[in-house]
Amino acid sequence: MPADVRPSRPRGRGEQRDQPRRTRTRRRTGTPTPSGARKPTRARPRTRTPSYRRLFHIPGSRAFALGAFLARLPMGMFSVSAILMIAPARDSYALAGAVVATGLAATALVAPLTARLVDRHGQARVAVPATALALVGGLALVACVHADAPAWTLFVSYAATATAPNTGGMARARWAHLLKDDPAALHTANSFEQAVDELCFMVGPVLAAFLCTSLFPEAGTLVGGLVLLTGVLVLAAQRATEPPPSGRTAARSPVRAPGVPSLLAVFLAMGAVFGSLEVVTIAHADTHGEASAAGLVLGLQAAGSCAAGLAFGAIRVTGPADRRFPLCLAAMAALMTLPWLTASSTGSLLPLAGALLVAGMATAPTMVTAMSLIQERTPEGQLNEGMTLAVTGLLGGIAGGSALGGWMVDHGPGPATTGFAVPVAAATLALVLALAAPRRRPAVFRPSH
C-alpha cells in the first residue's frame, strides 16, 4: 500500500474529527463572463504627483537645464542691447528699431531651417556651429557701429545672428525624449521650461540695460554673446540626454501636419498680446513721466507668469490638452482687461503694476498647454522644428502687435489708454481661433498631458 494512503477509522466521541482544509483566496473583481464567473482585471498603475524634485533626479537633467538657461538668457538681452548700442551712436531710434525688426524677420525665416537640421543631425552637431555663426554676426554689428560703417551693414550683421538655435525648444525636446512614458512628469517639465522663459525675458532686458549704461554701449551684446556660447557648449556636452537624430526623412514639414496650422494661427494672436502690451505699457509710463519704471512694471508681468508656471507644473492636470486650451485662452482674455481698466481709472503706475502681475498669471499656463499641443501634433523626429515654428509664430505676432499697439497709442480713437484694448482684442482673437479650429481631432503622436 502506498505510504501516503492510510485507511480511515471511525472516530470516537470526544476525538477531533478531520476538517477540510480552508485556503484563503484573494477576491478578484472583474467583469462577469457569459458563464457567470468574474474575469479578473488588472489594476491601473497609480500616477505620481508631479514633482520638480523627482524631475531633477533624472541623470543629466540638471546639467542640460543649466546649459539651456544660460543659452536662453541672452535672448532677452540682444534686442535691448542693439537699441542701446545703435541709437546713441547714430542718433536714431528709428534706425535702431528697424535693425532689430530686420533681425526678428530673419529669425522667423532661418530658425525653422536650423531646427530641421537639429532634428536630422542632432543637437550637438548643429547647435554649436550655428551659435558660432550667430556670434560672428554680433561681433560684426559691434565693429560696424564702432567704425561708423554704412547703415546697410548694420542690417546685414544683425540678420546674421538669426542662425542662433532655439535652445528652449532643444531643452523641451530632451524632456519629451526622457519622459515620453510619463505624461504627468512631462507636464511638469514643460511648466518649468516656460517659467525659465519668463525668467529670462524678465532678467535679460534689465541686465542688458545695466551693462550698456554702466560699462559701455557694446557691453550688452558682447556679454550676451559670451553667455550664449557658454550655455550652448554646456548643453551640447550632455550627450546622454540628447534625443537621437532622425536623419533625412521624406516627411513633410510639421507646418502641414493635421492640427498644426490652426495652432500656429493661435500662436500668432498670442504673440500680438505680448507685443502690444509691452509697447502700450511703455507709452503709458512715458506719458506720466515715469519711463524709467516701465521695465520694472513689465517685469512684474513676467514675474506673475513665472510664478504661475511653476505652480501649474506642480499640480496634476486632467483631461486632454486640447480641451484645456480654450479655457486657458479665456482666462488670458479676461485677465488682460485688468490693465486696461486700471490704466483708464487711475494715472498711477502702482495699480497698473499690480494689474499686470495678476494678468501675467494666465500667460504661462496658456503657453504650457499650447506647447503641449505642439508636441502632441508634431510628427516623430521633427519635434525641434515644430516647436521652433511655434516660436516663429510668436515672434511674428509680437512684431505685428508692437506695430498695432504703437499706432493705437499715437492715432487711436479716445484716450491714450485705448491702446490697452489691443492685447484684450488679440487674446479674444486667439480664443476665437482656437474655438473655430476643426472639430475633427488631429493626429496625436504623443500621449496627451
Side-chain angles (χ1 to χ4, degrees):
M1 180 181 294
D4 58 344
V5 178
R6 293 192 176 99
S8 60
R9 64 180 179 86
R11 300 282 182 179
R13 180 175 296 180
E15 290 187 17
Q16 187 176 4
R17 298 181 181 274
D18 291 335
Q19 298 291 335
R21 178 176 295 178
R22 295 181 179 179
T23 57
R24 290 186 178 182
T25 57
R26 183 173 298 176
R27 179 176 293 179
R28 297 183 180 181
T29 60
T31 55
T33 59
S35 63
R38 290 186 176 272
K39 184 180 180 180
T41 56
R42 184 177 298 177
R44 289 184 179 181
R46 291 185 178 181
T47 302
R48 292 184 178 182
T49 302
S51 168
Y52 290 102
R53 180 180 299 179
R54 186 165 64 91
L55 199 66
F56 289 104
H57 279 171
I58 300 175
S61 60
R62 298 182 183 181
F64 86 71
L66 174 62
F69 167 72
L70 292 176
R72 260 179 292 182
L73 181 60
M75 298 307 170
M77 297 175 59
F78 285 139
S79 296
V80 175
S81 298
I83 291 174
L84 293 177
M85 177 175 60
I86 296 171
R90 300 300 175 95
D91 194 25
S92 173
Y93 276 94
L95 176 62
V99 170
V100 171
T102 301
L104 289 175
T107 300
L109 294 175
V110 176
L113 301 178
T114 304
R116 184 179 302 176
L117 293 176
V118 169
D119 285 328
R120 286 182 178 179
H121 305 290
Q123 295 184 2
R125 290 185 61 186
V126 176
V128 175
T131 302
L133 183 57
L135 292 182
V136 170
L139 292 175
L141 178 66
V142 171
C144 291
V145 172
H146 188 73
D148 198 21
W152 65 266
T153 61
L154 306 183
F155 289 92
V156 174
S157 299
Y158 200 69
T161 63
T163 60
N166 176 20
T167 50
M170 290 166 59
R172 289 179 172 89
R174 289 182 182 239
W175 288 121
H177 170 65
L178 295 173
L179 304 172
K180 56 186 176 182
D181 297 325
D182 193 344
L186 183 55
H187 161 74
T188 304
N190 284 334
S191 300
F192 168 77
E193 293 300 330
Q194 186 60 40
V196 171
D197 284 344
E198 300 295 342
L199 180 64
C200 290
F201 282 101
M202 179 173 60
V203 176
V206 177
L207 180 59
F210 172 77
L211 292 172
C212 293
T213 56
S214 301
L215 300 179
F216 50 91
E218 298 85 0
T221 300
L222 295 176
V223 173
L226 180 61
V227 174
L228 171 63
L229 180 61
T230 301
V232 170
L233 290 176
V234 172
L235 181 63
Q238 312 308 313
R239 304 301 291 267
T241 56
E242 181 179 351
S246 63
R248 287 191 171 273
T249 175
R252 299 180 299 179
S253 171
V255 75
R256 302 177 66 181
V260 171
S262 59
L263 194 54
L264 293 180
V266 178
F267 272 99
L268 194 67
M270 288 195 299
V273 174
F274 308 140
S276 59
L277 186 64
E278 181 177 355
V279 170
V280 298
T281 301
I282 293 174
H284 182 73
D286 190 25
T287 301
H288 291 82
E290 300 181 62
S292 59
L296 180 59
V297 172
L298 287 171
L300 288 175
Q301 190 263 346
S305 180
C306 180
L310 292 175
F312 189 60
I315 64 175
R316 183 183 301 172
V317 296
T318 57
D322 55 356
R323 292 184 183 177
R324 296 195 308 271
F325 193 40
L327 298 177
C328 293
L329 290 171
M332 175 184 281
L335 291 182
M336 280 297 159
T337 61
L338 295 179
W340 187 14
L341 295 174
T342 304
S344 302
S345 59
T346 176
S348 174
L349 281 187
L350 186 59
L352 177 62
L356 286 171
L357 177 68
V358 176
M361 292 181 179
T363 301
T366 305
M367 287 295 302
V368 169
T369 307
M371 282 296 184
S372 297
L373 288 173
I374 282 288
Q375 291 179 10
E376 292 175 14
R377 299 176 184 181
T378 301
E380 295 287 347
Q382 297 178 293
L383 187 55
N384 224 358
E385 185 179 356
M387 289 188 290
T388 302
L389 286 170
V391 174
T392 299
L394 282 175
L395 290 177
I398 289 173
S402 299
L404 182 57
W407 185 90
M408 284 291 290
V409 169
D410 291 339
H411 309 288
T417 55
T418 308
F420 282 99
V422 178
V424 178
T428 304
L429 176 61
L431 174 60
V432 171
L433 290 173
L435 293 175
R439 292 295 179 183
R440 182 179 62 85
R441 193 166 185 180
V444 176
F445 297 92
R446 291 164 190 82
S448 180
H449 52 275

